Amino acid sequence: MSWRATILTLFPEMFPGPLDVSLAGRALRDGKWRCDAMDIRGFATDRHRTVDDTPFGGGAGMVMRPDVADAAIAGAMPEGDARPLVYLTPRGRLLDQAMVRDFASGPGLVLLCGRYEGVDQRVIEARGMREVSLGDYVLSGGEIAALALLDACVRLLPGVMGAAESAVEESHSAGLLEYPHYTRPAEWQGRAVPPVLLSGHHAEVARWRRAQSEAATRERRPDLWNRMQVVGSRATA
Ligand code: ADE
């Protein structure tokens, strides 16, 4: 049984999209995961295949109807389907690598992609959806967020990534940003590679990389850095 993603969307042609190439694409062809996109409009019941309506209370935009969203979810998840149901929305909890690891280690995901202003709150609650955001900016729909979430999960599936260690050392796995990388030529446009990387001293290379990771995290992501300090002080207390 492979890891299975079902995506509920008004634009099923967007899937697997970019996930059909490279690492994820090969894994898809190898049967290491499945990607099934379902058209929400197929669950509309009226002549015009209406999926949205104006918001109660007034305001701009349209809201996805709860009955249509619920029928689509019922169509995607048979009774007993243990996969988490995730609604991609800028109102959601920020996606992080811990969440990705958790999703990747399960049976798969059912992803609801909203367009318009969003989905009626009642179906979010009735279905116990996990609301997840990709970041503090607004996309025109959940589809690109769903693709990003799936990419992050699929690369962690067993046998998908090449070298096992590349999953461990990378940015965010240890709560730090990754150190910078260099390759040949050793000098390019007058810029030399940091000499320690050419020294052959593995311990010094490791020390330098750790220092670079810490400096980048402190400077660029004080939020991550401060969390690290708190977690670290708890561990040594
Ligand atoms: N849909 C629109 N914007 C989004 C975001 N930032 N994250 C997840 N889903 C979204």
Side-chain angles (χ1 to χ4, degrees):
M1 268 264 289
S2 54
W3 196 89
R4 179 165 172 240
T6 303
I7 305 101
L8 299 168
T9 169
L10 293 168
F11 301 95
E13 66 275 19
M14 286 178 75
F15 297 87
L19 300 181
D20 207 20
V21 299
S22 191
L23 216 63
R26 181 163 10 109
L28 191 57
R29 283 185 292 282
D30 289 348
K32 292 185 173 124
W33 71 292
R34 278 183 58 177
C35 184
D36 303 321
M38 293 175 70
D39 191 350
I40 295 169
R41 204 172 293 282
F43 295 90
T45 52
D46 65 323
R47 253 182 347 111
H48 302 292
R49 317 244 97 189
T50 309
V51 297
D52 60 329
D53 210 330
T54 53
F56 280 125
M62 298 292 270
V63 178
M64 192 177 288
R65 293 172 55 110
D67 51 348
V68 177
D70 189 64
I73 292 160
M77 307 179 80
E79 204 68 44
D81 192 327
R83 294 176 296 167
L85 171 58
V86 170
Y87 169 44
L88 283 316
T89 166
R91 267 172 50 86
R93 229 186 90 188
L94 265 192
L95 181 67
D96 62 17
Q97 192 64 18
M99 218 190 289
V100 169
R101 251 181 259 125
D102 182 44
F103 288 147
S105 67
L109 286 173
V110 179
L111 303 178
L112 175 63
C113 302
R115 285 261 153 180
Y116 323 114
E117 287 310 297
V119 176
D120 188 289
Q121 183 63 26
R122 292 167 295 178
V123 68
I124 296 172
E125 291 167 12
R127 286 286 185 174
M129 294 184 207
R130 296 181 53 177
E131 298 179 72
V132 173
S133 170
L134 208 61
D136 293 333
Y137 42 83
V138 181
L139 303 167
S140 51
E143 285 80 7
I144 288 176
L147 287 166
L149 169 55
L150 289 175
D151 181 85
C153 289
V154 167
R155 59 189 289 283
L156 296 186
L157 298 179
V160 172
M161 218 171 346
E165 68 274 15
S166 56
V168 179
E169 256 197 73
E170 69 197 31
S171 292
H172 295 296
S173 273
L176 286 175
L177 300 184
E178 207 179 13
Y179 49 80
H181 303 278
Y182 298 87
T183 185
R184 277 183 281 276
E187 193 182 310
W188 175 73
Q189 293 191 349
R191 295 166 184 269
V193 165
V196 62
L197 300 179
L198 310 175
S199 70
H201 291 116
H202 296 302
E204 274 182 45
V205 169
R207 216 171 9 253
W208 180 85
R209 285 177 168 167
R210 176 75 191 188
Q212 290 286 316
S213 281
E214 292 185 358
T217 308
R218 213 180 306 126
E219 204 175 290
R220 300 172 180 184
R221 295 294 304 277
D223 57 321
L224 288 182
W225 182 251
N226 291 331
R227 200 184 320 156
M228 271 265 299
Q229 303 313 103
V230 173
V231 171
S233 66
R234 259 201 240 115
T236 53

